[in-house]
Amino acid sequence: MWTLKLIICILVDAFDMTVGRLLFPFPFAGEIVGAVIASAMFGWKGMLYLFEIIDPTEQLDGFVPTATLIALASRPGRAPTA
């Protein structure tokens, strides 16, 4: 199941990197959709996707695969770190 979530997150980040730039006339549309998808899969950790709002130009967040990083941090069997 986690592998499917990872694939979905990679697709969300690929969409954000390519087509997400075209959503610029609709402020934060990509971030809201990404946060909803990530939150549905990973709970409160998915809300970390909203950190992409920090970049209002939509340029830097295309290079940071936020959803994929959330998925990798949430993989099962990963020991929590302090």
Side-chain angles (χ1 to χ4, degrees), residues 7-60:
I7 291 169
I8 291 170
C9 287
I10 290 171
L11 291 174
V12 167
D13 285 330
F15 177 83
D16 187 36
M17 188 183 312
T18 56
V19 184
R21 298 196 188 317
L22 300 176
L23 295 175
F24 190 70
F26 308 101
F28 309 121
E31 284 79 9
I32 292 169
V33 170
V36 168
I37 292 171
S39 295
M41 292 189 294
F42 301 109
W44 68 269
K45 292 178 186 176
M47 296 307 285
L48 295 173
Y49 194 90
L50 291 175
F51 277 115
E52 289 195 357
I53 290 176
I54 293 172
D55 176 31
T57 64
E58 295 288 332
Q59 298 303 311
L60 291 176

